[in-house]
Amino acid sequence: MSDTQLSAFLEAAQKDAGLQEKLKSAADLDAAIALAKESGFDISEADWLRYQAKQPLKLSEEELEGVAGGGATCHYSNCACVSVD
């Protein structure tokens, strides 16, 4: 239950294509944590959420233009987009 375990798991997934594919196909956070535990890593939901909170949000040029131009198009399922007219 530490950031070290999560870092080790993510590093292992980068090196192991099979593990990486399983992680990509995980339906939700619980499935990703279960996969980590099956792989021998002790990771909690809090560890994962802390890690995600520290990650910078990366947008494509198209997404940046939409935000700068006031567009309402959103490509993320967890955000609240509003149209600015």
Side-chain angles (χ1 to χ4, degrees):
M1 292 183 11
S2 72
D3 292 340
T4 305
Q5 285 285 300
L6 179 55
S7 294
F9 172 64
L10 294 174
E11 185 176 322
Q14 287 179 343
K15 293 178 181 177
D16 180 337
L19 181 57
Q20 189 175 75
E21 286 304 312
K22 288 179 184 177
L23 183 58
K24 285 180 182 179
S25 66
D28 56 21
L29 181 56
D30 290 334
I33 292 170
L35 176 61
K37 290 184 180 199
E38 290 170 13
S39 301
F41 298 92
D42 188 17
I43 298 170
S44 70
E45 182 176 339
D47 294 330
W48 202 290
L49 294 174
R50 238 186 339 269
Y51 170 82
Q52 285 183 320
K54 293 177 186 177
Q55 300 307 304
L57 179 62
K58 296 177 183 173
L59 301 175
S60 69
E61 288 297 318
E62 181 181 296
E63 292 164 332
L64 286 172
E65 287 176 15
V67 172
T73 303
C74 185
H75 302 281
Y76 299 99
S77 61
N78 62 344
C79 71
C81 296
V82 293
S83 179
V84 179
D85 293 324

